[in-house]
Amino acid sequence: MGTYFILIDSFRRNCPHVFSSPILGPFLLSGTAATLAWWLVWPFENMKSQVQGNYGRDMPLRQRLALTIRDRGWIGLYRGIGPGTLRSFLANGTSMIVMSNAQKLVTKLGLRD
């Protein structure tokens, strides 16, 4: 979660022109930041999915990682990253558009300092 906000802040400071577009800017900014942050933790998400799917039942994390690497190689840790990337980009990009517009409306109505 911290990675997402660090990336958002960095994009806003270094690429302010991207955020000037009311729809495309927030969509691209949030979608990119969330997806990059998601890629960092994807192997853990993969391990969580394996636990939920009973792959390698009742196994500690270290053994589960070893089993995945043995069965599928290092790339196996990133299994499913394509659909996960698409979902992350679309969901987080859309959410930022809604949040940005909601903040503007709240400010316009005088409900926020």
Side-chain angles (χ1 to χ4, degrees), residues 4 26-27 30 89-101:
Y4 171 78
F27 180 81
S30 184
F89 192 83
L90 292 174
N92 290 291
T94 303
S95 295
M96 182 60 94
I97 292 171
V98 171
M99 187 186 77
S100 294
N101 286 317

Side-chain angles (χ1 to χ4, degrees), residues 25-43:
F27 180 81
L28 292 175
L29 180 73
S30 184
T32 301
T35 301
L36 290 174
W38 197 239
W39 287 352
L40 289 174
V41 296
W42 191 262

Side-chain angles (χ1 to χ4, degrees), residues 31-91:
T32 301
T35 301
L36 290 174
W38 197 239
W39 287 352
L40 289 174
V41 296
W42 191 262
F44 298 108
E45 175 66 22
N46 193 317
M47 295 295 105
K48 178 196 66 115
S49 296
Q50 288 182 14
V51 169
Q52 291 173 334
N54 288 326
Y55 176 73
R57 278 185 102 110
D58 300 326
M59 217 182 262
L61 179 62
R62 187 176 284 178
Q63 285 180 333
R64 186 175 304 284
L65 279 167
L67 177 65
T68 301
I69 292 167
R70 189 188 74 222
D71 289 353
R72 298 184 179 134
W74 285 97
I75 197 77
L77 296 175
Y78 287 90
R79 183 177 182 186
I81 198 158
T85 296
L86 183 61
R87 188 216 59 82
S88 172
F89 192 83
L90 292 174

